[in-house]
Amino acid sequence: MEAATGGEGGGERPGGFCGCKGIRSCLLCEAAPPPQKRDNFVYCPVTGFAVGEEQSEFWGWAFLFPGVFLLEDFISPAEECKMVELMDQSAWKPSQSGRRKQDYGPKVNFKKRKLKAGNFTGLPSFSQEIVMRMKEHSVLKGFSPVEQCNLDYGPERGSAIDSHLDDWWLWGERLVSLNLLSATVLSMSCDSENVLHLFPAILQQIPGSEPPADSQYHQSDDLAPAGLGNTTKHDAVSSPTRVIPSKEATVAIHLPRRSLVVLYGPARYSWKHAIHRNHIRSRRICITFRELSTEFSLGGEQEELGKKLLGMALTFQGTPV
């Protein structure tokens, strides 16, 4: 992502307090807004393909995009309203790039790879039912979050989050996010020099690619993360007709209001994710849940510390740290 110029951040501005540091900026601290990028592929949750955007040079082309599970209407409007009401009863802290945050998790120094409980007292009570419901889907079998991060986005602040990969020393295979209050777009990009094999988009409609009749998501419940997106039902597509560098593709994953999205496998480890400010049209809250990596899990080098933190997290009696 290109850094915006003219922003110092970290001070009081006419629109309120800015939490930006370093190269980060928002509408409260920057001299001029940076140009906004446009994604050139759109993820299709029915087939699992990224399809060329109509106004891009890749219109008519597609490639398989594994590692995404998208479930619409994961919670009801009444549940959404109650959750937001409860979150707003706690203070929101200024964060980078025009966001506000509430953290429920251990104290971490990623550079030094140090971890301790700090002021962590567990995940909030309103998340207990949500976490139980997640486990009904086999892609989230055994998912036990040790951290919850609530992020509040607003167009008046120019809220966004730059393209990034989540840490994998501490955080595990699956990143789980619940999208509240408004629809948005998760923009995926890749810095790899590897190539992508594109196919005529018509080939995504192959036998076996149809979702179940009651499906509202891609990567059916029978597909567990261990498969890392090896969707054999698409093996019929075997003759690429166009090759491009991976870094030329940016994929838009449209997230409806109240939807749940899981990134794992290639979408977790090979593709960066971002939320661009032009995709924030009204207030949006994202709740992200993270599980522990193998180092802190059963049989891992720091299993005991992981067990302690997970025990605290799952009391569901926490307050923001």
Side-chain angles (χ1 to χ4, degrees):
M1 297 287 292
E2 233 176 88
T5 58
E8 296 179 356
E12 190 72 31
R13 297 293 187 271
F17 185 81
C18 168
C20 299
K21 299 177 182 178
I23 64 172
R24 310 295 183 222
S25 70
C26 67
L27 287 178
L28 302 180
C29 67
E30 62 195 14
Q36 297 296 295
K37 294 185 177 181
R38 185 183 181 94
D39 299 310
N40 49 28
F41 286 86
V42 178
Y43 176 73
C44 175
V46 174
T47 64
F49 276 81
V51 183
E53 205 274 337
E54 188 170 355
Q55 298 180 5
S56 79
E57 64 176 300
F58 302 115
W59 170 242
W61 298 95
F63 66 94
L64 188 61
F65 195 80
V68 179
F69 174 90
L70 180 61
L71 180 61
E72 296 186 22
D73 295 315
F74 182 71
I75 61 172
S76 69
E79 288 174 317
E80 176 189 47
C81 183
K82 185 62 177 178
M83 290 176 70
V84 173
E85 179 184 342
L86 290 171
M87 283 186 276
D88 283 341
Q89 290 177 7
S90 297
W92 290 94
K93 296 180 180 180
S95 187
Q96 303 271 35
S97 303
R99 304 185 303 276
R100 301 189 303 167
K101 67 179 179 179
Q102 296 173 343
D103 286 323
Y104 299 83
K107 186 176 179 61
V108 189
N109 185 320
F110 288 105
K111 289 185 178 180
K112 296 182 179 180
R113 292 200 167 186
K114 291 186 176 181
L115 174 68
K116 61 181 181 180
N119 297 322
F120 181 44
T121 54
L123 303 187
S125 59
F126 64 80
S127 293
Q128 187 167 13
E129 168 62 26
I130 300 301
V131 171
M132 289 178 60
R133 193 179 304 172
M134 290 178 188
K135 296 181 181 182
E136 296 174 4
H137 304 279
S138 62
V139 72
L140 288 171
K141 183 179 180 180
F143 182 77
S144 294
V146 73
E147 193 236 26
Q148 175 178 329
C149 180
N150 305 336
L151 291 178
D152 181 17
Y153 293 73
E156 71 282 358
R157 301 188 302 272
S159 301
I161 189 164
D162 285 350
S163 182
H164 68 284
L165 290 170
D166 277 38
D167 170 83
W168 53 73
W169 160 67
L170 175 59
W171 308 132
E173 166 79 14
R174 296 162 290 188
L175 304 178
V176 183
S177 293
L178 182 59
N179 186 56
L180 305 179
L181 294 183
S182 63
T184 192
V185 175
L186 190 63
S187 295
M188 311 294 291
S189 60
C190 184
D191 294 336
S192 172
E193 295 294 333
N194 294 337
V195 297
L196 286 174
H197 298 284
L198 307 185
F199 307 87
I202 190 67
L203 290 184
Q204 67 175 296
Q205 306 297 336
I206 63 173
S209 66
E210 297 84 1
D214 62 347
S215 173
Q216 291 180 295
Y217 52 86
H218 169 56
Q219 307 291 27
S220 72
D221 276 357
D222 295 330
L223 181 61
L228 297 184
N230 293 326
T231 49
T232 56
K233 68 182 181 180
H234 294 292
D235 286 349
V237 180
S238 58
S239 300
T241 56
R242 184 175 177 182
V243 176
I244 65 169
S246 296
K247 60 185 179 182
E248 288 187 10
T250 55
V251 180
I253 302 176
H254 288 265
L255 303 181
R257 183 175 179 175
R258 295 186 295 276
S259 64
L260 185 82
V261 65
V262 184
L263 301 181
Y264 61 93
R268 156 76 165 105
Y269 296 113
S270 300
W271 290 79
K272 295 181 177 181
H273 54 276
I275 300 286
H276 300 313
R277 69 170 57 165
N278 55 308
H279 292 140
I280 300 296
R281 306 293 175 82
S282 59
R283 188 186 185 194
R284 174 204 180 228
I285 291 178
C286 174
I287 303 179
T288 296
F289 299 91
R290 297 180 176 92
E291 63 185 343
L292 290 168
S293 68
T294 54
E295 181 171 335
F296 297 89
S297 301
L298 184 64
E301 186 177 333
Q302 301 196 59
E303 175 186 347
E304 289 304 313
L305 176 56
K307 186 184 301 184
K308 174 186 175 182
L309 293 173
L310 191 58
M312 295 172 63
L314 299 183
T315 62
F316 292 100
Q317 297 177 1
T319 55
V321 297

